[in-house]
Amino acid sequence: MPTAVMYLSVILLETSVQEVILLIHVLAFSTSHWVCVQSAPIVITRTTLRNCISGFVAGEVTSCCPPDINLNGPIVDFIPRRDRIRNPRLRVRKALQCLSGHELETYTQKLQRGYKLMRALPQDDPRSLFQQNQIHCAYGSGAFMQDGIPGNLTVDIHSNWHFLPWHRMFVYFHEKILQKLLNDHKFSLHFWNFDNGVNANETDSYGEHRHGPRGCFKAGHFFPPLYNDNSSSTFHVNRSIRPFIPNLPVDLSLRNRNEPPLRFADVAVPRNREVMQRAMAAGTIPRDFFGIDIKVGTTRSIPLSDGGSLEFLPHNSVHRWIAGSSSSPATATKDPVFYTFHANVDRLWHVWEKLGMNRTAPADPDWLGAQFLFWDENKVLRRIKIGDCLNIEDFGYTYEPVNDANWMDSANSPDTSPP
Ligand SMILES: [Cu+2]
């Protein structure tokens, strides 16, 4: 096959080892009459980005291909623990509801400045809030084709086993961009502890639920006020009225974004606890917690029920509860609250692992070997594979303990008083 050999040698001059491996899989696939086809992980390459097309999600056609910036430049692999070599102390992502006093003031100023700067970047800068949304939109609306596969099979990072790792990576690079804009490499994106509806009897020496040596023990299920100041860069106008209603906890059982009525704490807290118990109880079968598998040759999964238990409920309900832009993968990441919300989803994955009892990540090489590209804080393309993102400490951060598994304890009597 001289033509194929010639084609291969030209490609070899311009591609990385990973791209060549994919190409071999693709050749095997396209010549499957004479080669036994192996399954292969989804691998996003330069070619994937260059071949970006219009996507389709939630009933609308999307146009969110990321910018043609540095596509020909180097692609740098994410190396686990490299951040820790530079900064051996882990950064701590804390629970927003326990920030108070000087710490809250400083954090508010930094976060607002960070988003102000991110919004002010040119629209074609991959670090701008506009492009952060484009990246999530492209990955989440089928705008990326599976490289070299016959037919029009696309990639998606929702409703399947890519959801948790991809969003961990995305929030990590988003946090790195904020660090760079703030010139503060210790900045951490604190989390909206939406799953926690319990004010536990753990107080500091002043009798308040602040950060203490054992963590934060204050309910976190109200929309974080830090994101609700309409004069600030952390605000987003296109939300439902729910985040603005005082003392209305998030509703983790919401299955329809227009669903009435509003459920206040007396109703919402026990329902939320049930949702959390169900989502986190899933364990012994990885598919239940992570979602269905998707690999080269798999058609994009559309039904939400294909997602894992954490993604299906509570994650999807929080998107519905905020509503507005948050209702669609094409626009959700325009709202800065997305990133603190997803930091908590990431934390819940970490908490799930700590629950033990055979809760382990998939061992399938097509999951571990899946690779994605992101632009980092220096606009450089970074390649990261799922197998390298399984331990948050490899990214240099950890989470403050909160009343972590309050929803697992059925004897835990909720205190439903507002903060
Ligand atoms: Cu998403």
Side-chain angles (χ1 to χ4, degrees):
M1 301 200 33
T3 316
V5 171
M6 223 169 72
Y7 174 64
L8 187 58
S9 37
V10 170
I11 297 285
L12 277 170
L13 291 175
E14 329 185 307
T15 51
S16 67
V17 174
Q18 283 83 356
E19 284 166 331
V20 170
I21 291 167
L22 178 72
L23 186 68
I24 290 165
H25 281 299
V26 166
L27 284 174
F29 190 97
S30 58
T31 54
S32 55
H33 292 298
W34 52 274
V35 176
C36 178
V37 180
Q38 275 184 304
S39 68
I42 297 287
V43 173
I44 303 295
T45 66
R46 252 188 261 273
T47 309
T48 324
L49 300 187
R50 285 195 189 113
N51 292 343
C52 179
I53 56 171
S54 297
F56 185 80
V57 72
E60 55 177 296
V61 174
T62 64
S63 172
C64 44
C65 292
D68 191 13
I69 286 197
N70 290 350
L71 276 190
N72 298 317
I75 293 181
V76 179
D77 282 311
F78 169 80
I79 299 174
R81 288 182 291 278
R82 190 160 67 177
D83 279 5
R84 291 203 56 192
I85 293 162
R86 274 192 223 135
N87 308 297
R89 274 177 71 111
L90 292 173
R91 291 181 294 105
V92 182
R93 291 184 181 171
K94 294 184 179 179
L96 279 177
Q97 76 271 21
C98 277
L99 297 179
S100 62
H102 178 67
E103 188 181 29
L104 176 61
E105 213 173 286
T106 314
Y107 185 70
T108 303
Q109 282 169 4
K110 277 200 176 170
L111 194 72
Q112 292 181 345
R113 195 157 67 86
Y115 279 108
K116 192 173 174 191
L117 293 167
M118 193 180 271
R119 287 180 189 278
L121 290 171
Q123 274 213 347
D124 65 351
D125 187 320
R127 304 167 303 172
S128 66
L129 192 59
F130 177 82
Q131 289 298 342
Q132 291 288 287
N133 182 64
Q134 295 289 86
I135 292 163
H136 179 266
C137 169
Y139 270 108
S141 68
F144 292 144
M145 316 275 287
Q146 294 177 25
D147 286 0
I149 293 297
N152 290 328
L153 296 180
T154 54
V155 172
D156 204 336
I157 42 86
H158 297 114
S159 304
N160 63 60
W161 68 358
H162 288 157
F163 171 77
L164 288 171
W166 187 91
H167 286 78
R168 171 170 288 174
M169 300 166 186
F170 181 54
V171 171
Y172 168 76
F173 285 111
H174 185 80
E175 185 179 58
K176 298 293 283 181
I177 294 166
L178 286 170
Q179 287 177 355
K180 171 90 179 187
L181 294 171
L182 292 167
N183 196 20
D184 177 1
H185 67 273
K186 291 185 178 158
F187 176 83
S188 294
L189 196 57
H190 297 329
F191 61 92
W192 173 18
N193 187 197
F194 60 76
D195 59 296
N196 182 5
V198 175
N199 282 319
N201 275 338
E202 294 275 346
T203 54
D204 66 10
S205 52
Y206 301 97
E208 298 199 25
H209 297 83
R210 291 184 181 160
H211 307 292
R214 296 190 47 235
C216 161
F217 290 88
K218 181 179 175 186
H221 54 177
F222 299 102
F223 191 86
L226 176 51
Y227 289 83
N228 241 354
D229 170 359
N230 66 6
S231 65
S232 142
S233 58
T234 52
F235 185 76
H236 183 71
V237 72
N238 191 1
R239 296 175 185 149
S240 76
I241 57 161
R242 292 186 193 98
F244 303 102
I245 298 176
N247 301 332
L248 183 71
V250 69
D251 188 341
L252 303 182
S253 59
L254 204 64
R255 285 171 181 267
N256 177 335
R257 73 187 130 140
N258 301 316
E259 189 182 345
L262 300 175
R263 287 189 267 266
F264 281 86
D266 53 338
V267 179
V269 167
R271 288 172 69 105
N272 287 352
R273 185 188 300 131
E274 253 176 63
V275 167
M276 288 308 304
Q277 275 180 3
R278 217 172 306 134
M280 303 295 272
T284 46
I285 304 170
R287 184 248 171 265
D288 292 345
F289 188 71
F290 289 88
I292 62 154
D293 47 338
I294 178 164
K295 32 186 98 173
V296 171
T298 313
T299 307
R300 178 182 168 211
S301 55
I302 299 290
L304 295 179
S305 54
D306 282 351
S309 58
L310 181 56
E311 179 184 7
F312 183 58
L313 293 177
H315 159 266
N316 287 338
S317 323
V318 179
H319 276 291
R320 289 185 200 110
W321 187 84
I322 303 169
S325 303
S326 287
S327 304
S328 166
T331 49
T333 30
K334 288 180 179 176
D335 187 339
V337 83
F338 174 95
Y339 304 92
T340 181
F341 154 31
H342 267 268
N344 196 44
V345 174
D346 183 54
R347 183 188 69 85
L348 287 168
W349 174 16
H350 179 61
V351 169
W352 176 84
E353 277 169 344
K354 286 195 297 181
L355 293 173
M357 309 273 285
N358 290 329
R359 287 178 171 85
T360 48
D364 190 326
D366 291 335
W367 185 69
L368 296 168
Q371 292 180 14
F372 303 102
L373 293 178
F374 295 89
W375 279 271
D376 72 6
E377 69 277 20
N378 298 313
K379 300 195 264 188
V380 171
L381 271 176
R382 302 293 296 273
R383 177 170 40 222
I384 173 165
K385 65 171 185 263
I386 289 181
D388 282 341
C389 90
L390 302 184
N391 181 355
I392 55 170
E393 296 191 356
D394 287 347
F395 291 85
Y397 69 84
T398 188
Y399 287 103
E400 174 184 33
V402 290
N403 197 7
D404 273 341
N406 66 85
W407 21 257
M408 292 305 254
D409 180 2
S410 55
N412 205 340
S413 160
D415 173 348
T416 56
S417 56

